[in-house]
Structure formats: C-alpha cells, structure tokens
Amino acid sequence: MNLSTIIGKTSKFGIYIAFVLLCVVLAILSPYFFTVKNIINVLNQVSIIGIIAIGATIVLISGGLDLSPGAVVAVAGVMAAHFGHPGEYPLIVPVLVALVTGLVFGMANGVLTAYGKIPPFIVTLGTMTIGRGLALLACDGMQVIDLSDEYISLANSEFLGIPILIVLFALMFAVFQFILTKMRFGRHIYAVGGNETASHVSGLNVNRIKVIVYMLAGALAGFGGLLLSSRTVVGSPIAGQGYELDAIAAAVIGGTSTTGGMGKLTGTIIGALMIQVISNGLDMINVPSYWQQIVKGSIIILAVYIDMRSRNKGNN
Amino acid sequence: MVKDKCILKMEGISKSFPGVKALNNVQFALEAGEVHVLMGENGAGKSTLMKVLAGIYTKDEGSIDLKGREVDFHHPSDSIHAGISMIHQELMPIPHLAVAENIYLGREPLTFVGTVDRKKLESWTTSLFEKLRIEINPWSLMNDLSVAEMQMVEIAKATSWDSDIIIMDEPTSAITEQEVDNLFRIIRQLKAEGTGIIYISHKMDEIFEIGDRITVFRDGEYVDTCRIEGLERSRLISLMVGREIKDIFPKTDCPIGETILKVDEISLPDVFENLSFELKKGEILGISGLMGAGRTELVETLFGIRKKSRGTIFKEGKEIRIEKPSDAIENGLAIVSEDRKEVGLVLKMSVGRNLTLTTLKDYALFGQIMQERSESKSIQEQIEKLIIKTAGDGQLVSTLSGGNQQKVVIGKWLLNNPDILIMDEPTRGIDVAAKAEIHKLICRLACQGKGIILISSELPEIIGMCDRVLVMHEGRITGELDRKDFTQECIMHMATGQCLEE
Ligand SMILES: Nc1ncnc2c1ncn2[C@@H]1O[C@H](COP(=O)(O)OP(=O)(O)OP(=O)(O)O)[C@@H](O)[C@H]1O
Ligand SMILES: [Mg+2]
C-alpha cells in the first residue's frame, strides 16, 4: 500500500486525524491537558460558539451565508436581560424574548436574500451592523445587570453532574443532526444548496426553505446570546464580538462547503472543538496571547489544507 | 498501416476510482487525418480514457506514445501544449464571460498597456466563426446561450488551438441536424489538414457517415478495433453490448383515449405567441424543430418554469393553474429536462438522493421523518429497472457516466408516477441498448394511458416513436402530422418554415 492509497482511504477522516494529532501534541506538551477537568472545561467553553456554529452550518449548506449571529448574540442577550431582573417576570419570558429576537433577525435575513434576491453577504452584513446598533440602543450603551438567580442558573448549573451548557449543546446537536439526516426538511436544505434551479423544478419551495433556514440559525444565535448573558451574569451590548467568524470557521474547518450543498454537523463540532482546543492548549503551555492568534490562524489554515488535500487525492 | 502515420498510441491503460475499475488494460491508436470512433455502452470508460489523454485524470498504469515520444500528462495544459484539445461531454462554460472571452480564455490578445485588446479578440472570434459558419454574437454572455449554442462554442474553442489531435466527446448530443452537417463539414476540413480526430457518439448514423475506424470498449475493457467500411450495424451492436438488440424503436400501438391535456393560446413574451395544442391519453406527441424554435421554452412554460404572459391549460377538461413547477407536479405533470446538469440533477448529491428528490413526501412519516428503508427500496428498484450503472446508491451523481446521469433524471420523474410526462431530449447521450430500453418504457407508459410529449432533435426517434408530431419554427407551430404521414423530408421542410401541407 503506497502513500496515496493510504491518504485515499483516510480521506473522509482528514479533519478528525488533524484533530487527534493536535490533541496528542498538546497532551505531550502539557500533562494537564488530558485531565477530566480540562476536558469538561474545554467542552463548557465551546458550547455557546458550538450552538451558533450549528446555525452557520445549515445556512452554508443551504447555499447562504450569515454574518449576523455575533450581533444577534448581543441584541438577544441585552433584550433578555431586561426581562431577567429578580422578581419581575417568570424565566420563560426572557427565554422567549431571546428566541424571538433571533427569529426576527433570521426572518429579515431570509426574506431579503430569498425574495429580495440580495446577496447574503450584503444582507447579513447589513443586519449585523443594525444589530450592533440596536444592542447599544436597547440599553443606552450600558450593561444590563442585576439578573435573577434562575436566569443566572440557566447557563451556570449542572445536570446529572454535567455542566448544563454541555448538555444544551449536545441537545441542540442531536436535534439538528436529526433534522439534517433524518427529516425531509434536511434533504431540502442540501438540495437547495446544491442546485437551486433543479430543486425549484423538482417542486421544492426554495424561497420558503431558505427563510426557514435563516430563522433557525437566528433562533440558535438568539439562544446563544441568552446563554452567554446568563453565563457572564450581564447583558452586554458588545458581547459576541467575532462569533460569526468563529462559527463559520468551525463549519468550514469541519468540511462544510462555502458554495453550498455539502457539509456535516459532526464536522462542525470537530471544527469548533479544534478552535477551542487550540486556545486552551496554547494557554496551558503559556504562549503569550498575541502569539496565540498568529498560531491559531496558522493551525486553522493548515488543518483545512490537510483536509482538502486528502479529499482531492481521494477523487483523482 | 503505414507506421509513421500513427500519431498516438495508448497501451495497457488502467484507471480506478473508489469502487470502480473504469479502465482495465485498454489500448487505443490514432492516425493522422483519420476519424477514429470510440464506442461503448454508458459507463464503458470512453470519457475516462479521453480525460487521461487530456491530462485531467492521471492513469494508474500504461503508456501513452505521442508521435514517437512517451508522454505523461499531469495537467490539462500539458496536454494542450502537446497539441491535444478536447470537447467535453459535460460542457464547462464560464457563464458570466462573453463567448469570445470563453474561447480565448488564458490567451487573450493584449494591448500595449496590458489590457485585453477587445477589437482583436472580436476579430479573431469573428474569423473563427466565419470559417466554421457559426452565427453567434461574440459578445453574448455564455449564460444567455442555449445548450446547443454552447456546444457550438465549445467546438469552435477546440478547433481554435490548431491541435494535431481533437477529442470530441459526444459533440452532437445537443445540436440539431443542420449543425451536425456543419460539424461534419468542419471535421472533413480538419481531416484534410491532417488532424486526427477521436470521435465519441452513441448515434449510429453519424458513426457510419463520418468515421474511418472504430474501437469498442465494454465495461472498461478493450473489445476490438476495425474499419467502419463494410461493418454491419448488428455486428457493431453486438460488439458493444455483447448480445443482439432487435429493435431500437419498439413502437407498440396503444389505444388512444380522450384528451388529457389541452393548451390554449399560451404565450411567452419574445419567444412564442398563442400556441395551442392537445394531448390525448396513450398518445406520444412529438415536437420537432430546429435549434431556437422554442420547443424547450414551450414545455418549460407549460411546466411553470417560465412565466407565461397568457394562456390557459386544461387537464381532462378542467382548467388547471400552473404558476410554478410544484403546481405542475401536483397536477400530475413531470418533465425530464434538456439540461441535466443545471435543471435535472443536484450534482452534489448522491444517486439515491437525486432519485427521490421529487417524491420525498411518499417516504416521510408525518410528512417529515424519512423512512429510509422504504426509500432505499424504491431507489434500488429504480436503479435496477433503468439499469443505472453505479457503484452504489451513495455514489455522487456527478461521477456517473453521462448516460447514466440521464437515466437518473428519468428515474426521478418516473417515481412520481405522472399522468403527463414531458421528455425533452430524453435519450441524449444514451447508448443503443439503454435507448431501446427507454423507448420500450415510453411505449409502456403510453399504454398505461399516460400522455407523453417527446421533444427530440433526432428525426428517426420522432418518426419511430410518435403518434403525432408538431413541428415548430421560430416560435410558431408550422405543421402537424399524423403517424401515417411522417417522412423525414416533410418534417424538415416544416421545421425550416416552409409549410408543405397537402
Ligand atoms: N470521478 C469519478 N469518480 C468515480 N467514478 C467515476 C468517476 N468518473 C467516472 N467514473 C466511473 O467510471 C466509469 C466509466 O465512466 P465514463 O464516464 O468513462 O463512461 P463513458 O463510457 O464515457 O459513458 P457515457 O457513454 O455514458 O458517457 C463509470 O462507471 C463511472 O461511474
Ligand atoms: Mg462519456
């Protein structure tokens, strides 16, 4: 068996192999890396960005692009926090407020791209900017503090001994994995992203499918915003800065096509973990934070390069 | 064979893809000034061998000898520089560039400041088109061309390199008889200049008209090479398929029932106006015409892909509203479209996923949760029924051979069990055996009482299959003939706009 057949056989697992390699290297460099405590810590930190990355993945698969989730995190967090002061409203109210905020943004993104035929990059760049403004407006530029205990426990409690954020992340993964692989709607998402014309002629309601996809992604970002405000005990208008790019990066590292029609949630999870593990590992081996960013960027490019190469080898 | 006439010799070539051995120790040789036909069933490995020669795939084993020198291509440009150009089976236009820019991509004439010299580009293209007698505006966007026009541009592009060897992978699958005649004129001209041409086609008539020698592949294996002169058709078919095929047009007479579809004064701005026709149960209605006659536009409008400006459609006497494709599907229509890459298939999905795309609801519990077992049962049945050659239903549809992709499109719409089936060039790129199968299938569907509209640029197919034919010319229906009155001449006359009704 020569090298190219080995690469051919492993092509589907390129990114997983890169991830395992990274973990091995970090484990060698720091004995603390492979402890249960650290693993739980990494998972806990990855959860919120992971939830948002699920949304980024379905939007990319459907042939779209969403730059707004970071801003939605901020708006939803601030709005929810307004309804989260002690003794005012039951917990369900801030939860719904966050979700509805996300849905509204998603709907705007979806309607403008699908029916308005405006490129998604432009639409979501616009809603991202609007979102940042709205977040500041909604709290007059001040952080919203004084949150109720239930609100805070949303992201800071444990369920059967596991941090609740990890449980919620796993739950969202399960739900969307089910939608993508087992539901008719999941098939529609892949078809629309793969070939809009063919999907339309096959009788699919392409525009409606796109709008729903953006709304789901919006809801996930809104939910992420709620969890972030709970975890940090404050509704901040500048929360979620850069999350949209981390989410897209996680999806793309995980093998989701930026031109639509292809992608897997399991890949996205690995992608998100990869980004998180890099920061965590670099912290642990005391790499200064300026250097961290440089190293992080390089590793991301390297990982995708390994993945792409092994794929191309598989085809030719 | 004079030795130095041999300009290309491929020997012992093998090539595998995950799950399939596409080529197994095959050989092929080409002389200067000959048209060498490469034939074989869908998936026999013809395109694969040509892509090896064009530097798109790298061979696993074997040697390529080009004019006495051993070569090994790793990149398409290697092959182009060695004097080989290729017209691909799957067209690869760059949609947002103009025709001229597509042809001279990467070798545009430059002005002295380094910008593209548009005047020169235009004059090059115009003189190329003049030589080839092609009438397309050099500045039209590729996007706006029909499949046939794109095909002509590809042909022009391949000849523009002045290559020693030109590979033509099913160049006539999308063009009409007139353009085929023109292409053959070009081929004869190239031949006279000493160019060697490798010609792939599933159309028997063409092969006997233009070919000098023929090489046959079956299932990735080399079968035989022989002169075409004196070769019997039946012998060729049995070389290819490994058995005999009795009848390519197995037309059976089915009872023709009452009207199932009535189209009344339908119009599409700038293309056609006030067209009316009827289709009966059990009837196969052909639509014939030259490229640009508006046939595809007519059926696409009927199906709601294009927006009609006026006109009514009746099914079994009741008016139906078709604004978009899903309306058409709900009313029991199906369309096997002309352009399988853009309209027929989602290339990024697997064979199975494509087959069930229009019928997902049938396998969904509560309309949403996919019952994968019953779905994959239908997929398997369909793959067997249409003899689709695939490594498994999970294979990406883009990696199927062209003919097998076409079968997937047909299979997808048959799963929908339509009452009215529109087929726009359904046997394009399909081998004889499969063609006979599909024709049999069409007849069987008609006998089940379905109405069938068949668009075909192949007159023998229209004449062999249809009960009635409408002939279109420049957006008008210029004639209607019953089966008993069919003749090639008559249809051709009407298609060129000369009405010839007795
Ligand atoms: N990139 C690829 N990946 C996997 N399998 C492939 C790929 N390209 C071709 N094949 C397989 O190789 C076989 C030969 O295909 P090829 O396209 O050469 O057939 P062909 O003789 O040109 O058929 P057709 O007449 O239908 O065009 C087919 O089984 C096809 O599925
Ligand atoms: Mg082929």
Side-chain angles (χ1 to χ4, degrees):
Chain A
M1 197 149 66
N2 62 21
L3 188 65
S4 78
T5 55
I6 294 175
I7 292 176
K9 282 206 161 66
T10 54
S11 66
K12 278 188 195 139
F13 309 107
I15 200 67
Y16 299 88
I17 291 170
F19 180 64
V20 170
L21 279 179
L22 180 70
C23 288
V24 170
V25 169
L26 288 173
I28 293 169
L29 291 177
S30 160
Y32 178 70
F33 180 75
F34 250 127
T35 57
V36 173
K37 196 164 165 226
N38 189 45
I39 291 174
I40 298 255
N41 178 28
V42 167
L43 287 174
N44 203 22
Q45 281 175 341
V46 85
S47 294
I48 291 176
I49 203 75
I51 288 172
I52 296 165
I54 292 173
T57 308
I58 58 172
V59 170
L60 284 171
I61 293 175
S62 78
L65 175 74
D66 191 356
L67 295 175
S68 70
V72 173
V73 162
V75 186
V78 170
M79 296 289 286
H82 272 306
F83 294 89
H85 300 306
E88 286 184 6
Y89 300 95
L91 185 59
I92 186 74
V93 175
V95 172
L96 285 179
V97 165
L99 291 179
V100 168
T101 307
L103 285 170
V104 168
F105 268 87
M107 180 126 121
N109 289 337
V111 169
L112 290 170
T113 45
Y115 294 94
K117 307 275 177 242
I118 309 171
F121 184 92
I122 302 300
V123 169
T124 59
L125 187 68
T127 52
M128 169 180 115
T129 316
I130 293 171
R132 284 282 165 213
L134 281 178
L136 289 164
L137 205 64
C139 59
D140 241 349
M142 310 278 283
Q143 297 188 328
V144 182
I145 47 171
D146 188 22
L147 301 174
S148 69
D149 289 345
E150 306 95 79
Y151 192 103
I152 293 166
S153 70
L154 260 178
N156 293 308
S157 55
E158 285 187 351
F159 181 79
L160 302 175
I162 306 168
I164 187 96
L165 277 180
I166 300 178
V167 176
L168 290 172
F169 179 33
L171 189 70
M172 287 301 126
F173 169 72
V175 168
F176 280 86
Q177 178 72 356
F178 185 79
I179 293 178
L180 277 181
T181 60
K182 299 283 179 222
M183 280 178 63
R184 184 156 74 105
F185 185 68
R187 300 291 183 83
H188 288 175
I189 298 176
Y190 282 98
V192 167
N195 185 340
E196 236 183 275
T197 315
S199 302
H200 176 63
V201 173
S202 297
L204 272 55
N205 191 334
V206 172
N207 288 343
R208 194 177 67 199
I209 292 163
K210 284 186 178 173
V211 172
I212 295 175
V213 166
Y214 276 104
M215 286 176 74
L216 287 173
L220 284 166
F223 189 49
L226 173 78
L227 294 178
L228 187 64
S229 66
S230 159
R231 198 174 73 130
T232 54
V233 203
V234 55
S236 160
I238 53 164
Q241 207 83 254
Y243 276 27
E244 60 281 337
L245 294 183
D246 275 348
I248 292 170
V252 174
I253 291 174
T256 298
S257 156
T258 47
T259 52
M262 289 197 264
K264 284 204 177 95
L265 271 194
T266 43
T268 301
I269 304 303
I270 296 293
L273 280 172
M274 189 124 173
I275 297 174
Q276 193 57 50
V277 162
I278 294 171
S279 320
N280 172 272
L282 295 180
D283 268 343
M284 222 171 305
I285 55 177
N286 298 321
V287 176
S289 73
Y290 298 161
W291 278 103
Q292 278 199 17
Q293 299 202 10
I294 296 169
V295 174
K296 190 168 152 185
S298 313
I299 293 183
I300 290 173
I301 295 174
L302 187 71
V304 174
Y305 175 74
I306 292 175
D307 192 37
M308 299 289 248
R309 257 191 82 95
S310 52
R311 262 173 231 251
N312 287 340
K313 275 275 157 40
N315 286 338
N316 275 353
Chain B
M1 202 199 300
V2 187
K3 199 153 183 260
D4 63 11
K5 273 189 84 179
C6 186
I7 49 174
L8 170 75
K9 209 180 217 155
M10 302 177 85
E11 268 171 351
I13 309 274
S14 296
K15 172 76 193 170
S16 295
F17 296 108
V20 254
K21 185 139 197 179
L23 291 173
N24 186 14
N25 189 22
V26 300
Q27 61 191 72
F28 185 84
L30 180 71
E31 289 172 13
E34 82 162 335
V35 176
H36 195 146
V37 176
L38 183 54
M39 238 191 156
E41 287 180 282
N42 296 130
K46 306 178 295 289
S47 299
T48 305
L49 183 71
M50 291 306 111
K51 285 182 188 166
V52 167
L53 183 56
I56 294 166
Y57 293 153
T58 44
K59 58 188 188 306
D60 297 341
E61 277 165 54
S63 66
I64 304 176
D65 180 311
L66 189 69
K67 288 182 254 169
R69 265 193 321 125
E70 164 122 21
V71 290
D72 196 5
F73 300 138
H74 290 284
H75 194 268
S77 64
D78 298 347
S79 162
I80 289 173
H81 288 123
I84 300 173
S85 55
M86 177 160 177
I87 302 170
H88 286 274
Q89 179 176 12
E90 309 295 338
L91 303 178
M92 308 174 188
I94 299 174
H96 298 291
L97 287 186
V99 168
E101 290 163 331
N102 261 274
I103 293 178
Y104 292 102
L105 190 71
R107 44 187 176 137
E108 299 85 352
L110 299 182
T111 59
F112 70 98
V113 280
T115 56
V116 173
D117 187 342
R118 287 174 61 94
K119 258 200 206 118
K120 211 177 213 168
L121 188 60
E122 178 170 335
S123 74
W124 283 4
T125 312
T126 323
S127 68
L128 180 68
F129 280 2
E130 245 160 45
K131 189 174 131 203
L132 304 178
R133 296 191 200 156
I134 296 175
E135 282 169 18
I136 298 172
N137 181 347
W139 296 114
S140 301
L141 288 187
M142 279 310 257
N143 231 1
D144 299 335
L145 302 189
S146 69
V147 183
E149 288 169 321
M150 280 186 212
Q151 181 76 65
M152 291 312 285
V153 172
E154 289 287 330
I155 291 169
K157 183 174 175 181
T159 58
S160 71
W161 288 98
D162 291 322
S163 310
D164 305 323
I165 298 176
I166 299 184
I167 304 165
M168 303 190 173
D169 195 351
E170 305 198 24
T172 58
S173 60
I175 57 183
T176 53
E177 311 240 328
Q178 258 186 355
E179 291 136 7
V180 174
D181 288 342
N182 190 24
L183 174 67
F184 283 2
R185 192 187 54 78
I186 297 168
I187 289 179
R188 291 198 181 96
Q189 199 174 320
L190 290 167
K191 244 177 87 160
E193 290 163 13
T195 311
I197 289 168
I198 306 175
Y199 192 90
I200 301 178
S201 173
H202 291 291
K203 298 181 184 168
M204 291 281 171
D205 295 337
E206 289 180 0
I207 287 157
F208 284 95
E209 187 181 340
I210 198 78
D212 298 311
R213 281 197 303 162
I214 184 162
T215 290
V216 178
F217 285 180
R218 194 192 309 148
D219 277 333
E221 311 254 356
Y222 172 84
V223 179
D224 203 359
T225 302
C226 45
R227 296 230 139 261
I228 286 182
E229 229 180 312
L231 181 68
E232 296 263 342
R233 267 173 204 239
S234 55
R235 162 121 183 88
L236 175 55
I237 291 177
S238 64
L239 276 181
M240 233 172 18
V241 192
R243 65 192 151 86
E244 277 181 37
I245 290 179
K246 294 263 154 47
D247 200 353
I248 301 177
F249 303 113
K251 171 90 181 141
T252 43
D253 280 312
C254 325
I256 291 181
E258 69 246 51
T259 303
I260 188 166
L261 183 79
K262 182 164 179 272
V263 177
D264 203 21
E265 309 223 309
I266 192 174
S267 300
L268 180 69
D270 297 330
V271 184
F272 55 78
E273 253 169 55
N274 301 342
L275 296 185
S276 306
F277 64 92
E278 283 184 20
L279 174 70
K280 299 200 164 59
K281 282 187 177 166
E283 184 184 40
I284 304 175
L285 173 67
I287 304 183
S288 190
L290 299 180
M291 141 183 158
R295 299 168 300 169
T296 295
E297 287 84 348
L298 173 61
V299 291
E300 285 186 351
T301 309
L302 182 57
F303 202 75
I305 299 172
R306 291 164 190 264
K307 242 188 162 42
K308 59 176 188 285
S309 56
R310 60 167 305 213
T312 32
I313 300 166
F314 301 89
K315 188 186 168 199
E316 291 166 332
K318 274 206 307 265
E319 183 177 345
I320 52 174
R321 292 181 60 81
I322 298 180
E323 302 291 336
K324 52 187 186 306
S326 56
D327 299 337
I329 294 170
E330 252 159 53
N331 282 301
L333 274 74
I335 188 168
V336 174
S337 57
E338 167 187 48
D339 188 346
R340 64 170 171 260
K341 248 171 70 172
E342 290 300 320
V343 188
L345 295 171
V346 182
L347 290 177
K348 288 178 176 175
M349 296 200 310
S350 66
V351 173
R353 292 286 162 90
N354 269 286
L355 277 170
T356 52
L357 186 59
T358 56
T359 43
L360 285 175
K361 227 187 225 148
D362 299 351
Y363 316 103
L365 203 64
F366 315 117
Q368 277 296 344
I369 300 168
M370 297 303 297
Q371 303 296 99
E372 280 172 10
R373 197 155 316 147
S374 71
E375 185 190 7
S376 73
K377 205 172 126 239
S378 296
I379 292 172
Q380 282 315 324
E381 276 173 17
Q382 209 64 357
I383 288 177
E384 278 161 31
K385 202 149 87 193
L386 294 172
I387 328 172
I388 299 172
K389 195 184 169 219
T390 143
D393 63 359
Q395 187 178 357
L396 269 187
V397 78
S398 58
T399 65
L400 287 189
S401 78
N404 283 298
Q405 290 183 6
Q406 184 68 15
K407 292 187 198 171
V408 174
V409 183
I410 296 176
K412 157 176 135 175
W413 287 109
L414 288 185
L415 274 177
N416 223 5
N417 197 20
D419 304 324
I420 297 160
L421 181 58
I422 302 166
M423 302 185 113
D424 195 352
E425 308 282 1
T427 61
R428 163 178 299 167
I430 283 192
D431 68 53
V432 262
K435 207 174 208 168
E437 287 302 319
I438 285 171
H439 288 154
K440 227 185 276 172
L441 186 79
I442 293 178
C443 289
R444 209 161 58 226
L445 293 169
C447 285
Q448 289 167 11
K450 299 182 193 300
I452 297 190
I453 298 177
L454 176 67
I455 298 183
S456 175
S457 300
E458 277 185 79
L459 277 182
E461 185 167 56
I462 292 275
I463 291 172
M465 292 297 299
C466 298
D467 297 298
R468 192 158 55 97
V469 63
L470 301 176
V471 187
M472 285 184 71
H473 173 72
E474 290 179 355
R476 283 174 300 122
I477 295 179
T478 48
E480 183 179 335
L481 290 170
D482 271 328
R483 184 166 182 77
K484 58 180 185 343
D485 304 322
F486 285 177
T487 59
Q488 295 242 13
E489 295 74 42
C490 195
I491 296 177
M492 274 315 285
H493 263 95
M494 291 174 166
T496 47
Q498 300 151 283
C499 287
L500 194 123
E501 277 150 299
E502 303 96 313

